[in-house]
């Protein structure tokens, strides 16, 4: 059994934004939704039901801090949160590891560097199909903006 | 502003499975995923960030109880949880109300009454497109099975 999150390479940790006592926040490498991130449990835990009370309480702080940061720094309007873990079940011996996807959503166009981002599906279910790779080019810019202000939202541990 | 959850009609509450101190659980009327349910905050709360600590702690109990019930009573394999709230932003003056969608997912075929249900997308992202209405016909049977055993999983309040 191979857990996709317990053995992340240094390259895969490239966009690590911050960590709390129980969670690590990575900016997703495909920025189809600006600020799209993945919140991963530090402990190998296979379902939401198995999270401890302490992990669950810490998650609430992470959600509040993340939403506040993305509203302030990126002008996000609202957020789509999901905990799916389907990919793990593609393996013969599934080894799921609790993680959340968060997609900030934007009512108005947003400027990032020289480009303007428009959330074309706003107010509709996120588009789960891979889009143009254009947005991957801005991941460094989004990362720098969030990482540079991270201490205003998350305690340094 | 009209909140779609604060003013539910008696007809819309038809498939109410149970309630806890802070949450109400409804079986979804379209059973495209067997046991698909909606968990709604009792208080009008507009984002995850605004949930109180008490509401968040109660939600953890709801998740554990729901997953246990669906594993025991329906043989669910795992679960897709999401908190999206996109529909509220289709209105000119959005009035979001925190709720979660939960779609139980099934590795093996499941018998419900005289039909056999197969989760054709298992291990893949749930299909957000409306499917055949066939599954709506079993909502009464699924509701009866869960409601009949609800006190084994949720405290009566």
């Amino acid at each position: 059994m191979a857990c996709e999150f317990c053995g992340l390479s240094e390259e895969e940790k490239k966009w690590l934004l911050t960590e709390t006592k129980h969670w690590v926040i990575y900016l997703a490498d495909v920025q189809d939704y600006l600020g799209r991130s993945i919140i991963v449990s530090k402990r190998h835990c296979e379902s939401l039901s198995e999270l401890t009370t302490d992990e669950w309480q810490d998650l609430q702080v992470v959600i509040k801090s993340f939403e506040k940061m993305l509203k302030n720094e990126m002008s996000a309007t609202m957020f789509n949160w999901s905990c799916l873990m389907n990919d793990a079940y593609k393996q013969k011996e599934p080894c799921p590891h609790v993680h959340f996807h968060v997609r900030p959503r934007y009512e108005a166009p947003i400027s990032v560097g020289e480009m303007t981002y428009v959330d074309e599906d706003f107010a509709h279910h996120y588009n789960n199909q891979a889009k143009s790779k254009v947005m991957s080019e801005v991941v460094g810019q989004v990362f720098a903006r969030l990482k540079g202000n991270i201490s205003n939202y998350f305690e340094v541990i």
Side-chain angles (χ1 to χ4, degrees), chain A:
Chain A
M1 292 194 298
C3 172
E4 67 172 319
F5 288 108
C6 285
L8 288 180
S9 66
E10 287 309 307
E11 174 61 23
E12 288 171 318
K13 292 178 180 172
K14 186 177 174 187
W15 304 122
L16 191 158
L17 277 169
T18 194
E19 56 187 294
T20 68
K21 186 176 174 193
H22 294 295
W23 301 89
V24 186
I25 306 174
Y26 298 97
L27 193 68
D29 51 6
V30 175
Q31 289 290 294
D32 48 0
Y33 294 90
L34 272 188
R36 177 177 171 173
S37 297
I38 303 170
I39 320 281
V40 183
S41 166
K42 283 187 174 177
R43 179 173 68 88
H44 182 75
C45 175
E46 303 214 332
S47 70
L48 286 188
S49 287
E50 291 163 273
L51 289 175
T52 66
T53 305
D54 201 36
E55 288 166 337
W56 185 250
Q57 286 172 346
D58 191 33
L59 179 62
Q60 185 181 27
V61 178
V62 168
I63 291 170
K64 285 186 184 191
S65 303
F66 186 88
E67 290 196 345
K68 187 176 178 187
M69 178 171 71
L70 270 285
K71 277 182 177 282
N72 287 357
E73 304 298 334
M74 304 292 291
S75 302
T77 307
M78 49 84 76
F79 304 87
N80 292 167
W81 291 87
S82 61
C83 179
L84 307 176
M85 302 197 285
N86 296 309
D87 279 350
Y89 290 83
K90 291 183 175 73
Q91 293 182 46
K92 198 167 182 178
E93 293 182 66
C95 190
H97 183 132
V98 170
H99 63 283
F100 287 79
H101 299 270
V102 52
R103 291 170 174 86
R105 306 297 303 267
Y106 300 85
E107 188 172 18
I110 302 293
S111 294
V112 183
E114 293 180 359
M115 73 160 286
T116 299
Y117 169 79
V118 177
D119 182 351
E120 293 173 356
D121 313 309
F122 183 72
H124 294 269
H125 197 286
Y126 58 80
N127 185 340
N128 190 47
Q129 304 303 312
K131 286 188 176 179
S132 149
K133 293 267 180 184
V134 174
M135 295 307 296
S136 293
E137 297 167 21
V138 304
V139 61
Q141 290 168 295
V142 176
F143 183 77
R145 192 189 293 188
L146 297 179
K147 186 79 177 173
N149 292 288
I150 203 89
S151 63
N152 295 331
Y153 304 96
F154 290 87
E155 278 185 45
V156 177
I157 64 164

